[in-house]
């Protein structure tokens, strides 16, 4: 619902909250994984703490959140074919399918990397749970800086398309460079460029996708 020119900046604030949670969650999870009690085996405590946070979140949403969809629909959403038709209709639009492919490949490639990275760090630098937690927290910090400060500051000088093109190139080159780093500082330098680039991509590609679709199609296209 933001104006087109400020949508990327506002999207970046939303995505920055993910980075904030990534940083705190990794630090707490890494620390708790080394905490032993009479009730919990090692590595079990973070699971139960996360479950308690989820329960608190459910309670908060149930008590304080109200329905935001105010338009009355005459269509039934119980038919499974209706949802499928909506998906196909959105994908038939050329600009949507191109941007959705960009979003899919960005998520797929980054998650592919993040899962294998921890095995690489264990093999190359003998990283264990706590050290992996630190680097994940560092990733969260990089995305906070990028999305809460860099994107709002630079959004008046560059448009979303420029952000996406430059960040995608930098991300790819950074990922290629990381396996060839033979010292931890060098790995952190390459990882920093990758994390910042990834932080630039998602808010901007989401803003472009939103701007290209009408107000009544926002929920559909964002869901896809």
């Amino acid at each position: 619902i933001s104006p087109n020119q400020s949508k990327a900046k506002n999207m970046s604030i939303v995505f920055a909250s993910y980075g904030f949670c990534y940083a705190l969650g990794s630090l707490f999870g890494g620390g708790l994984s080394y905490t032993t009690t009479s009730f919990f085996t090692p590595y079990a405590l973070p699971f139960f703490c996360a479950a308690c946070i989820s329960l608190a979140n459910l309670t908060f949403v149930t008590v304080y959140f109200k329905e935001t969809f105010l338009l009355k629909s005459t269509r039934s959403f119980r038919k499974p074919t209706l949802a499928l038709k909506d998906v196909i209709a959105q994908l038939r639009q050329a600009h949507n399918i191109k941007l959705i492919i960009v979003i899919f490949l960005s998520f797929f490639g980054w998650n592919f990397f993040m899962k294998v990275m921890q095995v690489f760090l264990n093999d190359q630098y003998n990283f264990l749970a706590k050290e992996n937690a630190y680097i994940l927290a560092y990733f969260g910090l990089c995305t906070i800086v990028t999305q809460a400060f860099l994107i709002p500051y630079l959004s008046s000088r560059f448009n979303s398309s420029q952000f996406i093109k430059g960040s995608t190139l930098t991300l790819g080159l950074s990922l290629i460079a990381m396996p060839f780093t033979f010292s931890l500082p060098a790995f952190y330098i390459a990882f920093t460029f990758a994390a910042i680039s990834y932080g630039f991509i998602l808010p901007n590609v989401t803003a472009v996708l939103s701007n290209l679709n009408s107000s009544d199609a926002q929920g559909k296209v964002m869901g896809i």
Side-chain angles (χ1 to χ4, degrees):
I1 60 173
S2 302
N4 288 4
Q5 63 272 18
S6 62
K7 191 166 291 185
K9 181 175 65 176
N10 293 340
M11 285 281 188
S12 68
I13 301 300
V14 175
F15 279 101
S17 67
Y18 297 164
F20 189 72
C21 295
Y22 220 103
L24 285 183
S26 299
L27 289 175
F28 280 116
L32 291 173
S33 63
Y34 288 88
T35 303
T36 56
T37 67
S38 56
F39 297 101
F40 299 104
T41 58
Y43 297 111
L45 187 57
F47 287 86
F48 286 95
C49 290
C52 290
I53 293 171
S54 295
L55 179 61
N57 198 28
L58 173 63
T59 304
F60 180 78
V61 170
T62 303
V63 173
Y64 291 105
F65 274 63
K66 305 300 180 184
E67 177 58 64
T68 59
F69 187 73
L70 303 178
L71 298 176
K72 293 183 178 180
S73 176
T74 58
R75 298 190 302 172
S76 171
F77 288 93
R78 296 179 181 178
K79 298 178 181 179
T81 55
L82 180 61
L84 185 60
K85 288 179 181 178
D86 279 337
V87 170
I88 294 173
Q90 295 299 325
L91 291 179
R92 279 179 174 171
Q93 300 183 52
H95 56 264
N96 280 352
I97 188 64
K98 290 177 182 177
L99 286 166
I100 288 170
I101 289 172
V102 171
I103 294 172
F104 173 80
L105 291 176
S106 298
F107 270 108
F108 182 75
W110 183 257
N111 281 282
F112 199 148
F113 156 71
M114 288 293 278
K115 299 302 179 286
V116 180
M117 179 192 71
Q118 298 172 54
V119 180
F120 169 78
L121 290 173
N122 176 262
D123 181 65
Q124 191 86 347
Y125 302 110
N126 297 315
F127 270 33
L128 299 177
K130 186 175 290 187
E131 290 81 10
N132 277 326
Y134 290 155
I135 198 165
L136 293 175
Y138 180 67
F139 163 70
L141 179 64
C142 288
T143 57
I144 292 170
V145 171
T146 302
Q147 295 167 348
F149 300 102
L150 292 182
I151 292 179
Y153 176 73
L154 295 172
S155 59
S156 60
R157 304 183 183 186
F158 303 98
N159 59 44
S160 292
S161 178
Q162 292 172 314
F163 278 132
I164 295 167
K165 291 176 182 178
S167 299
T168 303
L169 176 62
T170 306
L171 177 61
L173 293 175
S174 302
L175 293 177
I176 290 172
M178 266 183 266
F180 299 101
T181 57
F182 298 103
S183 69
L184 200 53
F187 176 85
Y188 265 101
I189 291 172
F191 183 77
T192 301
F193 277 101
I196 291 174
S197 301
Y198 187 73
F200 271 113
I201 292 172
L202 295 182
N204 282 286
V205 76
T206 307
V208 172
L209 186 64
S210 175
N211 288 340
L212 290 173
N213 285 275
S214 60
S215 58
D216 61 337
Q218 295 292 310
K220 296 175 185 177
V221 73
M222 290 298 162
I224 297 170

